[in-house]
Every structure is written in structure tokens, then in C-alpha cells.
Amino acid sequence: MMNRIDETFRRLALRGEKALIPFLVAGDPDMETTRELVLAVAESGADILEIGVPFSDPTSDGPVIQRSAQIALEAGCSLPRVLEMVAEVRRSTQLPIILYGQHTPLFGYSAERSAAYAAAAGIDALSGGGSIAVVRFRANSGIAPGTVGSFNLSSLYLNDGAIPAVVN
């Protein structure tokens, strides 16, 4: 079964087009504004949206994302609140959404529970940044491509720190 991301890339490839994939940090400046921004991105013609889950130690991110994550955390943003917001915007848009974050906030529950929660909210892919998150994602946390695949999620990670690669 093809998910929204697979379908988007298939459609773009048939037309010889590239994807526009903007990035937002959830919760900056607050969750209501994030919800409005997600809908505005969808209405503005983006092909896919990547939503970052703020983390208390975003040292692998640049200063702009670090500041945005700090603002979001101070405003009370959390993974459950991000998933609730995505579930809410799913009533208005079918824009493919990638959930990006470090290992701890994304997979602290367990790989299977996190994948189930993400899929139930309407997330299309999970993406972890930085080689530490990738190593834990693939080797230490018990997350296998089949785990997220069984929920029809794509699992994405940053290869060599900059190039998105699909592992499932």
C-alpha cells in the first residue's frame, strides 16, 4: 500500500518535477500558530511538510532551529501535543507530513508505540537527524524498517548529516 509520501513522489516523477518540502518547528511560537502555519503551507502548494519536534538539547541543529525549539519548549510543546495538532489538521488537509526529531522525543515510548501513535495521528514518515539518532534508531532501539512499515509509515533519516535517504 502506497502512503501519501510515496504517492507524492510518484506523481512528481511522472511530471518531471521536484518536491517542495518546507520545515516548521512545532510549537514556535505556540501550537495554535503551528496549526495555522501547517494549513497555510498546505494551501500554498507545498508537496510535503516536515514538522520538527522540539528537543531540550538541539545541539546538532543550527542556531535558528535551536532558538525555535527553545521557544516551543517554553510554550509547552511536546510530542503528544504535536500529534494531537497533526490529527486535527488531518481533517482539513492530506498534505504528506514527516515528523522530524531526535531519538529521545520520537522513540521514548518504544518504537512500536511511537509508530502507532504517529500513524494514528496522520503522520506519513518519521525522520531522525544526526548520526547518533540514526545509530540508535537502526541498532539500539529495536526499530526495524518493518516496525514503522507495518503502520504504513516511511522511515527517513539523514545520511552523512545532509542527504535524506529512505530506509523503508
Side-chain angles (χ1 to χ4, degrees), residues 103 107 110-112 135-148:
H103 181 273
F107 302 110
S110 82
E112 190 162 302
V135 170
R136 289 185 179 167
F137 174 64
R138 296 176 67 201
N140 299 339
S141 68
I143 299 171
T147 301
V148 294

Side-chain angles (χ1 to χ4, degrees), residues 21-106:
I21 308 173
F23 175 82
L24 299 172
V25 174
D28 179 13
D30 54 55
M31 290 307 295
E32 179 57 27
T33 302
T34 300
R35 185 189 68 74
E36 292 169 4
L37 288 170
V38 169
L39 294 173
V41 164
E43 293 169 9
S44 296
D47 297 298
I48 297 171
L49 174 62
E50 185 173 25
I51 299 176
V53 177
F55 185 55
S56 59
D57 186 20
T59 55
S60 65
D61 297 318
V64 172
I65 294 175
Q66 288 176 5
R67 178 68 180 129
S68 189
Q70 180 182 358
I71 291 167
L73 291 169
E74 289 171 0
C77 186
S78 64
L79 178 58
R81 292 190 68 202
V82 173
L83 294 175
E84 289 171 15
M85 182 271 304
V86 170
E88 182 181 328
V89 300
R90 272 291 169 235
R91 295 182 217 137
S92 302
T93 183
Q94 291 303 305
L95 178 71
I97 297 175
I98 299 168
L99 193 64
Y100 170 86
Q102 298 299 318
H103 181 273
T104 302
L106 286 186

Side-chain angles (χ1 to χ4, degrees), residues 5-19:
I5 290 176
D6 298 331
E7 178 58 33
T8 297
F9 281 119
R10 185 193 67 73
R11 184 182 74 251
L12 291 168
L14 288 174
R15 295 192 315 227
E17 297 177 358
K18 306 292 183 204

